[in-house]
Amino acid sequence: MKRNNRNLAGADRRQYPRLKPTAVPFLKSVAFNQGCEAQVINISRGGILLDTEVRLRPQMKILLKLITSEGVIKMDGQILRSSISSLNGVPRYRSAIAFDHPFHMLDDLSADLEEEREESPEAPAGTDAADTVPDQPLMGLVAGSTMD
């Protein structure tokens, strides 16, 4: 019996499209239960990728506070992976977090992104505005601080 050897090396197997913070205008900042500052790299209905000054242990449960223009949304999640992302000055860690429940506030933005992808086939596969690094990353608030 011959096995089907498909090459998945460039395939996008993500369940939800990733959005850069600049594509989510209502998201103002992110804080988490350990009280540390977080920089949002990208976000989707299913999770978030953060840069922090602390390493978050894989499999650890976490409570994220997403500060939006409408108020604070608490999202429970679990750390999937965490690795060092920079040793310049203070070490920084990049951590992937899966939400326990989908972040439905992104539904309309995700649908718009999918329509954009379908309408503009000239973009190379696997790239779009949501996959580029923003010039000004979104920085999180320290837990317990207030928004001005």
Side-chain angles (χ1 to χ4, degrees), residues 23-45:
V24 187
F26 60 83
L27 184 62
K28 302 304 177 192
S29 63
V30 175
F32 57 97
N33 53 353
Q34 284 77 10
C36 295
E37 194 172 90
Q39 174 185 334
V40 177
I41 304 302
N42 66 43
I43 187 169
S44 74
R45 285 183 61 205

Side-chain angles (χ1 to χ4, degrees), residues 17-19 108-117 128 130:
R18 284 4 179 213
L19 300 170
D108 290 339
L109 294 172
S110 296
D112 291 346
L113 179 62
E114 287 302 316
E115 284 178 21
E116 225 175 81
R117 284 182 181 170
D128 59 46

